[in-house]
Amino acid sequence: MWRRSALLLAVLALLLVGGGVAVARSAPSLKTGGPTAVSGTEATSVFTIAGRTIRQIRYADGGTLRYTFGLTNTGHLPLTVRGLADDQPSTRLFTYTGLTGPDGAGDVHLGPGETARLTLALRMGGCETLSARAGAFVTEVVLRTEQAGVFDDEVRVTLPEEVHTGSPREAFCPRSTATSRPPG
């Protein structure tokens, strides 16, 4: 009888621990939202086309655009956002350079249901390789996260607005030459 009870308790404990690890191991659930803000450009405008919200910004060659948005932990466990993942979505005129939290914090801790404002830094460059009518979008970012101090994940989140810039005319693209830009 004693052995049977001990075995039953051991199996029950193993199931509970395994279930807890499975819950902790589930991918973080994150959602972005506003309000949004932009710095590092002379002009910006927001408009909606067919259900898409687009943030149009003026390109500044070599400049850094800072795009601020809200990030909410919609999961059941606390997590820490550790910054940008190494592999980011491809975009022609922007390079992902950093992610900071409130007051420039590198790591951002979010409990279940909590929201923090993050700032994504994007370097603008490469206009000399595109025609003056081309452009680039940034629609998502891949974040490095940690749950329970142990489980590392990379989570792709869609930004609340599609950040867009057009390649400027030659006069505003200092490294362009007569042959560096394709026609169009």
Side-chain angles (χ1 to χ4, degrees):
M1 175 86 165
W2 165 247
R3 286 183 183 174
R4 191 175 287 164
S5 294
L7 181 61
L8 183 60
L9 283 174
V11 168
L12 185 59
L14 187 60
L15 286 173
L16 287 173
V17 168
V21 169
V23 167
R25 189 60 208 122
S26 63
S29 178
L30 300 169
K31 180 183 175 187
T32 62
T36 61
V38 174
S39 65
T41 185
E42 293 178 15
T44 181
S45 179
V46 178
F47 54 93
T48 302
I49 297 177
R52 295 171 51 196
T53 303
I54 298 171
R55 165 77 67 168
Q56 177 71 33
I57 63 107
R58 180 170 292 154
Y59 178 87
D61 195 55
T64 299
L65 177 72
R66 287 180 174 66
Y67 180 73
T68 302
F69 60 95
L71 182 72
T72 302
N73 176 5
T74 57
H76 299 292
L77 297 173
L79 64 88
T80 301
V81 176
R82 297 275 186 210
L84 295 175
D86 290 336
D87 293 326
Q88 293 296 324
S90 178
T91 181
R92 191 68 182 268
L93 295 175
F94 294 107
T95 302
Y96 294 78
T97 59
L99 183 77
T100 55
D103 301 322
D107 290 350
V108 177
H109 305 285
L110 292 171
E114 289 184 348
T115 300
R117 290 182 49 79
L118 301 181
T119 300
L120 174 63
L122 301 162
R123 186 181 169 283
M124 294 178 270
C127 64
E128 65 277 359
T129 64
L130 291 179
S131 72
R133 291 188 177 90
F137 281 93
V138 172
T139 60
E140 56 191 6
V141 63
V142 183
L143 307 175
R144 286 185 307 112
T145 64
E146 180 181 281
Q147 286 188 98
V150 178
F151 302 111
D152 295 329
D153 282 295
E154 291 185 358
V155 180
R156 184 177 301 265
V157 295
T158 301
L159 296 174
E161 302 166 327
E162 298 181 27
V163 179
H164 177 262
T165 190
S167 186
R169 305 240 178 254
E170 287 79 3
F172 299 102
C173 187
R175 290 179 302 280
S176 69
T177 66
T179 60
S180 69
R181 297 182 99 177

